[in-house]
Amino acid sequence: MSSIVSDVVVDVQYGDCGKGKVTHHLARTGSYTHVVRYNGGHNAGHTIYHEGKKFVTHAIPCGVFFGIKSIIGPGCVINPTRLLEEMEELRSSGIDVDGLLMIASNAHVITDWHLVEDGKDSVIGTTKRGNGPAYRDKYGRKGIRASQVHDLQDYIVDVYEEFHNNQEYEQVKVLFEGAQGFGLDIDWGDYPYVTSSHCTSASAFLNGVPPSSVRNVYGVGKIYETYVGAKDFEMEDSALAERIRSVGQEFGATTGRPRQVNWFDLDSISRAIDINGVTKLVINKVDVLEALATEGDYLRVYHGDDTFSFESIEDMRYYIQEHLGRENMDIYFSGNKDRI
Ligand code: IMP
Ligand code: MG
């Protein structure tokens, strides 16, 4: 029996807030034996700067960048062809995934048929990566598991054995890497404009470690909001939205679609903090609004039924801190250019 501790990284908005950056930073500290992706599939796109080079990963957890065992957990869905391609891309950039990457035997598979089905979506604005149909078949008990796929055999792992009967470590230390975000969660997001998996911290504990193992939940957001998909999300003033999109480079890492932009919503983030049990909150891309502040009224926050404007980024940060602050929660503000 090994003892287990875990930390969870979760997005408190609609994805694309910089979980990749935070997870990469945490993995680098050398405090973990495993990095585990716990939900979603190739719909995700995590942008990571590693040793000066830009990487976009879709399914592979960032532990591979640091020689840490990296598991695609049972909560995920996998497109075998795409995964093998992603592995090859990393290998050819000098990142050795072999011996590190593992796939939970009970993770589910995205088939060609799922891709065809998802390709027909015109309502939700999905990434068309087969995510929804794969989860539908999983829960309809018609799915295929990773253990049944010939090409994945070298990577299959029984996560129970890996976490609970591991003689290699005195203590198993898991970093859970989430995908998508609170506003896209199947239960807590704006249904039906959501993804088909659970994006909250609770979802991590469906991947083989007990909730009692958790130490910290890192909530990741950014100083304005973005959303990609079919619903109308953008702020009224489209000129301001366009500037933020351009300066913040807000285009999907997976599909290249422009992300709709809106102001920081204090109430929805507050709800996300409570439901996810966030203990450390990271708010990214502060420098994007800071750079725009001299051009016009870019420092705004939704709170209750009102929109508040600020004179300086310091005032805005102070207001957020005042209203989102919790006892036992630290808040960090970070810039896009801070390559931690
Ligand atoms: P699906 O997950 O491809 O089914 O897409 C459902 C919704 O989630 C759509 O609005 C997508 O744009 C959005 N979505 C899925 N994955 C991501 C992501 O990694 N970042 C941001 N939005 C995402
Ligand atoms: Mg993303």
Side-chain angles (χ1 to χ4, degrees):
M1 284 278 277
S2 9
S3 81
I4 307 176
V5 293
S6 66
D7 292 322
V8 183
V9 179
V10 71
D11 181 298
V12 294
Q13 292 164 326
Y14 298 85
D16 307 319
C17 291
K19 278 186 300 300
K21 173 166 135 176
V22 171
T23 316
H24 186 258
H25 169 70
L26 290 171
R28 191 171 60 185
T29 61
S31 325
Y32 301 96
T33 56
H34 298 79
V35 181
V36 179
R37 255 291 292 281
Y38 62 85
N39 73 299
H42 303 257
N43 48 355
H46 289 174
T47 309
I48 287 167
Y49 290 85
H50 183 72
E51 292 172 357
K53 260 198 196 139
K54 182 179 172 178
F55 294 86
V56 178
T57 58
H58 298 284
I60 300 178
C62 75
V64 295
F65 289 95
F66 304 102
I68 305 172
K69 285 185 180 178
S70 296
I71 304 181
I72 301 178
C76 299
V77 288
I78 300 157
N79 175 335
T81 312
R82 286 271 179 155
L83 179 61
L84 294 167
E85 278 170 15
E86 195 176 322
M87 287 164 68
E88 200 41 53
E89 271 166 37
L90 287 178
R91 271 190 209 108
S92 66
S93 311
I95 308 295
D96 196 6
V97 297
D98 297 287
L100 296 177
L101 182 67
M102 295 181 240
I103 303 166
S105 56
N106 48 346
H108 272 252
V109 169
I110 301 168
T111 64
D112 290 346
W113 174 241
H114 294 147
L115 293 173
V116 172
E117 292 249 297
D118 203 16
K120 295 179 197 153
D121 164 72
S122 59
V123 177
I124 308 300
T126 74
T127 59
K128 303 198 192 302
R129 296 298 188 271
N131 208 65
Y135 279 109
R136 184 197 60 202
D137 281 352
K138 166 178 169 168
Y139 287 101
R141 294 160 295 175
K142 293 188 294 190
I144 297 169
R145 284 175 154 186
S147 58
Q148 295 170 256
V149 179
H150 178 260
D151 288 350
L152 300 181
Q153 289 310 310
D154 290 349
Y155 306 96
I156 297 296
V157 68
D158 174 338
V159 292
Y160 174 73
E161 292 299 326
E162 185 64 30
F163 293 150
H164 295 268
N165 274 329
N166 201 323
Q167 309 298 324
E168 230 178 291
Y169 315 99
E170 223 163 273
Q171 191 171 44
V172 168
K173 300 172 193 152
V174 181
L175 176 61
F176 281 110
E177 176 178 348
Q180 290 83 46
F182 183 73
L184 293 169
D185 178 85
I186 183 84
D187 288 327
W188 296 103
D190 186 9
Y191 193 91
Y193 298 101
V194 292
T195 191
S196 295
S197 68
H198 296 279
C199 313
T200 56
S201 55
S203 172
F205 306 110
L206 303 170
N207 285 259
V209 314
S212 56
S213 65
V214 70
R215 297 177 301 190
N216 278 305
V217 176
Y218 293 85
V220 185
K222 62 188 172 194
I223 195 109
Y224 50 90
E225 300 203 342
T226 61
Y227 155 86
V228 203
K231 76 171 173 182
D232 197 7
F233 180 82
E234 192 141 289
M235 60 177 69
E236 263 172 40
D237 192 328
S238 55
L240 297 190
E242 193 52 52
R243 276 299 283 155
I244 296 174
R245 184 159 38 247
S246 146
V247 175
Q249 277 304 296
E250 297 296 351
F251 298 89
T254 297
T255 58
R257 292 179 291 176
R259 297 171 181 151
Q260 297 185 55
V261 179
N262 213 331
W263 309 116
F264 190 90
D265 184 339
L266 241 144
D267 301 295
S268 76
I269 292 165
S270 188
R271 202 159 51 236
I273 290 170
D274 292 337
I275 287 173
N276 286 291
V278 172
T279 59
K280 315 247 182 220
L281 181 68
V282 181
I283 297 177
N284 279 320
K285 290 203 162 175
V286 174
D287 52 352
V288 172
L289 289 197
E290 195 174 10
L292 287 168
T294 51
E295 282 183 27
D297 193 4
Y298 283 94
L299 306 177
R300 297 201 216 174
V301 163
Y302 291 129
H303 191 189
D305 293 329
D306 296 313
T307 315
F308 293 84
S309 285
F310 302 92
E311 290 289 317
S312 70
I313 197 84
E314 289 74 27
D315 287 355
M316 183 171 176
R317 283 171 51 156
Y318 183 77
Y319 189 87
I320 291 172
Q321 189 109 33
E322 273 282 292
H323 293 276
L324 279 187
R326 306 278 195 278
E327 213 182 322
N328 304 322
M329 184 182 82
D330 304 313
I331 305 187
Y332 307 88
F333 291 90
S334 165
N336 194 31
K337 294 205 183 67
D338 304 339
R339 301 264 177 255
I340 47 181

